[in-house]
Amino acid sequence: MTEASTQQTRDRVVIFDTTLRDGEQSPGCSMNLEEKLRIAELLEGMGVDVIEAGFPIASNGDFEAVNEIAKRVKNSIVCGLSRAGRKDIDRAWEALRPARQARIHTFISTSPLHMKYKLQMEPEAVHQAVIDSVSHARNLCDDVEWSCEDGTRSDPEFLCRLIESAIKAGARTINVPDTVGYTVPDEYTRLMRYLIENVPNSDQARFSAHCHNDLGLAVANSLAAVIGGARQVECTINGIGERAGNAALEEIVMALRTRGDAMAFETGIRTTDITKASRLLSSITGFNVQPNKAIVGANAFAHESGIHQDGMLKHAGTYEIMTPESVGLNRSTLVMGKHSGRHAFRKKLEELGFHLADNQLNDAFTRFKDLADRKKDVFDEDLLALVDDAVWRGNDRIQFVSLQVVAGSKGPQSAELELEIDGRPAAVKATGNGPVDATFNAIKELYPHDAKLQLYQVHAVTEGTDAQAEVTVRLAEAGKTVNGQGADADTLVASARAYIHALNKLLVKREKTAPQALSA
């Protein structure tokens, strides 16, 4: 067959991104409104079909985020999650109402284990709840998705009854989640085929897969579901999500693109935005991508073995099944220096996906000049870390001003720290068991709190002794965890910025409460 005719026979797989909902449920992964809007804008730009923007009834913050995304997104469907109760569904619709294209996604547990112990409901009561919830959602919104939570551990015959009723009540997308990452590919393919073949009105709905990665099978299971007849896949950037995470969007999309010979399906994703999306999410959440992560890891296109290098020199296809450019990986090395001007700086940031307002550009350019004076070579990764750290903290209540540290083998180690708290300057000198401990003690003195430090992690943004340090800090308080990230050529300054970033996120999260049964 010709390439053109092959393209015409390919089935379209809808990409449903739940980074802002299921992804945000990952411990420490909470995002504020501005961060969610940035992610949503990028998802829309890269061609994501459905953006699940949040769980509106979870908190006022979630409602506000879904509502604001619904106002701004024009090309993607904006989706809000709700449980089966009318109050949840009404709240979801209230948040989604401004959207050009809106979807209510409602769910209820269907496995014997969940029905007995979590819902404490009999199967027939669950069946009636499906009919009632989908009917109510459909009366509000033309586009309704229904999910059977813990679907892969549910009785298939019972699922057929529920799905038939959900479709009859108005659901046009049926999601069969592998909520706890339990199934295996062949099993999931068979389940999808069984449901599609045995639900009388299955032709009136699109079937969907939502897989968790507890056994490391989320992407394989998602592809298996597509082979079994599913035409929507629910996934997240970098595979973030509860426990071991969700199926990774970038892996699913590139698997379908690269192995079109084995799987005749296509998506509408602009794959050249994949690396940008991965980096943006990492910078916002502080969740660094492991080096050997497929598609977006630092080593994904690196070749150190002599045999591999020899093959690559002769023909890239010997060891690369896709090109770095196909996922938006920039091969450039040195990009900027201390003599670079503002125009060149702006142009480079635009190439990296940043479009800054004048005041933001001024702040970032000042930080860049300072970095260029201290660092011999400035790379793309340096600029990404610098801009994320310098520009997107403008609304934080606690702002870093300066830090002076006394360190070394002869104690005591001390830190003189200056902050702005709610616009007011504050300064203190504190000691500690090392310079990092002294710095964190100084922050606690200026802004007292009971949060516990769970993680302190440092990595170099690029190579060399003059590399910027990127620090990740995780704080926990009253069952809530947040990650903060900071970057600077000085590791201790980066540490202070990371701790302050986490503390600011914790202040936001104190206002957020999560309802029961959130894991569909």
Side-chain angles (χ1 to χ4, degrees):
M1 296 178 69
T2 66
E3 184 177 347
S5 61
T6 302
Q7 281 296 112
Q8 290 174 358
T9 62
R10 293 184 184 278
D11 282 352
R12 178 76 144 73
V13 174
V14 170
I15 298 297
F16 177 114
D17 184 277
T18 184
T19 300
L20 297 175
R21 199 278 300 172
D22 205 341
E24 203 204 11
Q25 291 173 212
S26 181
C29 216
S30 178
M31 305 176 215
N32 61 35
L33 176 59
E34 183 181 10
E35 291 167 341
K36 287 188 175 186
L37 290 172
R38 291 173 63 201
I39 294 289
E41 180 183 6
L42 182 54
L43 293 175
E44 181 183 28
M46 71 190 293
V48 165
D49 300 288
V50 186
I51 300 171
E52 188 165 51
F55 193 4
I57 205 167
S59 68
N60 289 333
D62 253 34
F63 177 90
E64 181 186 10
V66 175
N67 189 247
E68 195 61 36
I69 290 169
K71 292 174 184 175
R72 298 196 189 191
V73 168
K74 305 303 179 188
N75 299 319
S76 303
I77 296 169
V78 180
C79 178
L81 184 70
S82 75
R83 293 167 297 186
R86 291 176 71 95
K87 185 178 178 181
D88 275 47
I89 295 168
D90 290 343
R91 187 67 167 160
W93 176 240
E94 187 181 353
L96 291 167
R97 195 189 297 269
R100 183 174 293 183
Q101 301 176 84
R103 175 182 295 183
I104 295 175
H105 179 192
T106 184
F107 73 95
I108 194 169
S109 295
T110 58
S111 68
L113 192 65
H114 278 220
M115 288 189 292
K116 180 177 181 180
Y117 292 104
K118 192 175 84 168
L119 298 181
Q120 297 181 342
M121 293 172 66
E122 293 297 320
E124 287 310 309
V126 170
H127 189 184
Q128 188 60 49
V130 172
I131 296 170
D132 294 343
S133 60
V134 174
S135 297
H136 183 57
R138 182 60 184 82
N139 286 334
L140 300 172
C141 182
D142 291 339
D143 188 351
V144 176
E145 175 172 341
W146 177 72
S147 287
C148 45
E149 184 179 9
D150 206 22
T152 55
R153 294 195 296 174
S154 300
D155 175 63
E157 291 186 10
F158 182 55
L159 280 186
C160 285
R161 292 177 55 211
L162 298 184
I163 292 169
E164 181 181 4
S165 295
I167 295 173
K168 191 176 295 183
R172 289 300 171 259
T173 303
I174 299 295
N175 183 38
V176 186
D178 185 32
T179 303
V180 294
Y182 180 75
T183 197
V184 295
D186 285 350
E187 185 177 64
Y188 205 31
T189 299
R190 290 196 302 271
L191 176 61
M192 281 293 176
R193 283 180 177 157
Y194 176 85
L195 296 175
I196 292 170
E197 290 171 1
N198 288 277
V199 172
N201 53 0
S202 65
D203 61 323
Q204 298 175 30
R206 176 185 288 114
F207 280 70
S208 176
H210 178 120
C211 298
H212 282 261
N213 205 38
D214 298 70
L215 294 175
L217 295 171
V219 171
N221 285 334
S222 298
L223 297 173
V226 171
I227 291 169
R231 290 298 178 266
Q232 175 178 285
V233 174
E234 306 192 1
C235 46
T236 62
I237 300 295
N238 293 343
I240 67 167
E242 290 187 282
R243 304 184 311 279
N246 289 2
L249 179 151
E250 61 276 5
E251 295 178 27
I252 292 167
V253 169
M254 292 310 295
L256 292 175
R257 172 175 165 154
T258 304
R259 291 307 314 273
D261 58 323
M263 299 175 286
F265 308 101
E266 63 179 2
T267 71
I269 297 298
R270 189 167 68 183
T271 63
T272 51
D273 283 345
I274 282 176
T275 296
K276 181 167 63 176
S278 172
R279 287 172 171 172
L280 175 62
L281 184 66
S282 292
S283 71
I284 286 175
T285 62
F287 278 31
N288 297 317
V289 175
Q290 67 195 58
N292 61 326
K293 165 78 168 65
I295 314 299
V296 293
N299 294 345
F301 295 96
H303 305 276
E304 187 168 331
S305 159
I307 295 174
H308 285 210
Q309 289 176 344
D310 180 65
M312 285 291 295
L313 289 171
K314 292 172 179 174
H315 192 288
T318 54
Y319 288 103
E320 280 188 355
I321 60 173
M322 68 196 92
T323 67
E325 291 81 6
S326 69
V327 297
L329 186 63
N330 194 333
R331 285 190 182 274
S332 67
T333 53
L334 178 65
V335 293
M336 298 290 286
K338 64 180 181 179
H339 299 298
S340 299
R342 189 183 306 271
H343 177 73
F345 180 69
R346 181 195 289 272
K347 190 172 187 304
K348 186 61 195 177
L349 291 185
E350 289 176 352
E351 289 176 5
L352 294 173
F354 292 97
H355 300 274
L356 307 184
D358 287 342
N359 61 325
Q360 293 175 323
L361 182 71
N362 291 337
D363 291 342
F365 187 67
T366 300
R367 284 285 302 275
F368 161 69
K369 281 295 190 179
D370 180 57
L371 177 65
D373 281 338
R374 292 187 288 165
K375 191 176 189 301
K376 180 180 177 182
D377 297 333
V378 181
F379 296 88
D380 286 358
E381 291 82 0
D382 290 310
L383 295 179
L384 290 166
L386 180 152
V387 173
D388 282 324
D389 190 73
V391 174
W392 306 110
R393 309 284 186 256
N395 295 324
D396 288 347
R397 289 180 57 193
I398 306 170
Q399 299 274 353
F400 174 85
V401 178
S402 68
L403 175 68
Q404 188 70 34
V405 174
V406 175
S409 59
K410 295 181 179 179
Q413 291 79 27
S414 64
E416 293 185 47
L417 178 68
E418 185 179 355
L419 304 177
E420 277 190 10
I421 302 174
D422 293 327
R424 297 179 179 178
V428 73
K429 181 176 180 178
T431 60
N433 185 21
V436 174
D437 188 48
T439 300
F440 291 175
N441 286 342
I443 296 172
K444 290 178 185 177
E445 285 195 36
L446 291 178
Y447 196 95
H449 58 277
D450 296 323
K452 303 298 182 186
L453 180 65
Q454 286 192 333
L455 174 72
Y456 172 74
Q457 178 177 286
V458 183
H459 83 277
V461 173
T462 56
E463 298 177 353
T465 56
D466 63 350
Q468 279 193 103
E470 198 162 50
V471 176
T472 300
V473 164
R474 181 177 300 157
L475 298 179
E477 179 189 73
K480 299 180 176 68
T481 60
V482 293
N483 276 16
Q485 197 171 46
D488 196 90
D490 187 305
T491 303
L492 296 173
V493 173
S495 301
R497 290 183 182 276
Y499 195 106
I500 292 164
H501 181 215
L503 193 53
N504 277 302
K505 293 178 76 171
L506 190 59
L507 299 183
V508 173
K509 201 166 187 179
R510 282 175 178 173
E511 308 298 321
K512 184 173 182 177
T513 56
Q516 241 180 338
L518 214 155
S519 57

